[in-house]
Amino acid sequence: MLEILKSVDLKSWLGLAGVLLGALLGLIGVFLANRSNLSRLQLQLESERQRHHSQVKREKLEELYVLLSHWVNMFFSHYFKLTLVMKGEIDYNQYLDDIIADGADKKTDFQRIEMILHIYGRELLPTYNEVLEWRGKVNDISAAHKADYKQGKCNGEEYIKPYTAVHTQLENKVEKLKSELAELAANA
């Protein structure tokens, strides 16, 4: 076997070395191309994942905006009807009948609002908590008026001014929340 190797001339060995070098360079080229393609595909996949996440987030925030708008409209409707009770223009039973009639048509899904906020809009939670705080103040005045009304004090004129002032603050906080929500959705 050694004789056969010795009988091969130098030109043949150089040709074989050239073929081996060419094969090695080809293999290195394929490896580098595959590595580059894998890197590009990973970047493309990450980019598509981020784009999909942004699209889903924007859609959820848009849904939240609509849910908040319906909730606020319902709350303001209650405000105007309760001021009619405070002025003595309608009685409390008429007010409750109107609220029940409105509620049958317009249901607000508070769990959905809070779920979307906690998953997609954590940045909005401090402002949302301010809205809830002012809603609580509105509810406190409403409850005080209701307690007086149950005791026979049907004239609630003294509640109108503080009720309106607190409700105006609630409206301002809601507008702030909607503005922040729109900004967050636009940048999603």
Side-chain angles (χ1 to χ4, degrees), residues 48-63:
E48 287 175 11
R49 187 189 68 73
Q50 286 177 351
R51 190 172 340 134
H52 177 70
H53 177 72
S54 294
Q55 180 182 357
V56 168
K57 183 176 182 176
R58 185 174 21 263
E59 288 171 0
K60 294 299 180 185
L61 292 174
E62 289 169 357
E63 178 186 357

Side-chain angles (χ1 to χ4, degrees), residues 72-82 99 102 106:
V72 167
N73 289 340
M74 178 199 62
F75 209 70
F76 291 141
S77 171
H78 292 188
Y79 161 76
F80 289 119
K81 290 174 184 172
L82 188 58
I99 297 300
D102 285 348
K106 306 170 191 167

Side-chain angles (χ1 to χ4, degrees), residues 115-178:
M115 179 202 64
I116 294 172
L117 274 168
H118 285 281
I119 295 173
Y120 298 102
R122 289 180 175 269
E123 305 94 322
L124 303 171
L125 287 174
T127 306
Y128 179 69
N129 288 331
E130 290 177 15
V131 168
L132 294 180
E133 181 183 322
W134 284 100
R135 183 190 67 173
K137 292 177 182 181
V138 167
N139 288 342
D140 291 345
I141 294 172
S142 176
H145 171 258
K146 182 178 180 180
D148 279 356
Y149 193 90
K150 282 184 176 181
Q151 293 177 356
K153 186 177 175 185
C154 295
N155 184 357
E157 294 279 337
E158 66 190 65
Y159 290 102
I160 293 175
K161 191 173 182 176
Y163 188 63
T164 301
V166 170
H167 210 279
T168 300
Q169 288 297 321
L170 172 63
E171 185 177 1
N172 292 339
K173 295 300 178 184
V174 167
E175 288 306 314
K176 179 182 174 189
L177 176 62
K178 286 172 68 176

Side-chain angles (χ1 to χ4, degrees), residues 20-97:
L20 290 176
L21 182 62
L24 181 63
L25 289 175
L27 187 61
I28 291 172
V30 168
F31 173 76
L32 292 175
N34 284 342
R35 198 169 104 184
S36 174
N37 285 339
L38 179 63
S39 176
R40 183 185 54 79
L41 286 173
Q42 286 174 334
L43 283 172
Q44 182 180 355
L45 181 63
E46 180 63 24
S47 175
E48 287 175 11
R49 187 189 68 73
Q50 286 177 351
R51 190 172 340 134
H52 177 70
H53 177 72
S54 294
Q55 180 182 357
V56 168
K57 183 176 182 176
R58 185 174 21 263
E59 288 171 0
K60 294 299 180 185
L61 292 174
E62 289 169 357
E63 178 186 357
L64 178 60
Y65 191 93
V66 170
L67 289 169
L68 284 174
S69 294
H70 289 307
W71 175 54
V72 167
N73 289 340
M74 178 199 62
F75 209 70
F76 291 141
S77 171
H78 292 188
Y79 161 76
F80 289 119
K81 290 174 184 172
L82 188 58
T83 56
L84 293 176
V85 175
M86 290 175 181
K87 292 177 182 176
E89 294 178 15
I90 63 172
D91 66 17
Y92 216 90
N93 287 334
Q94 288 172 309
Y95 163 73
L96 292 175
D97 288 343

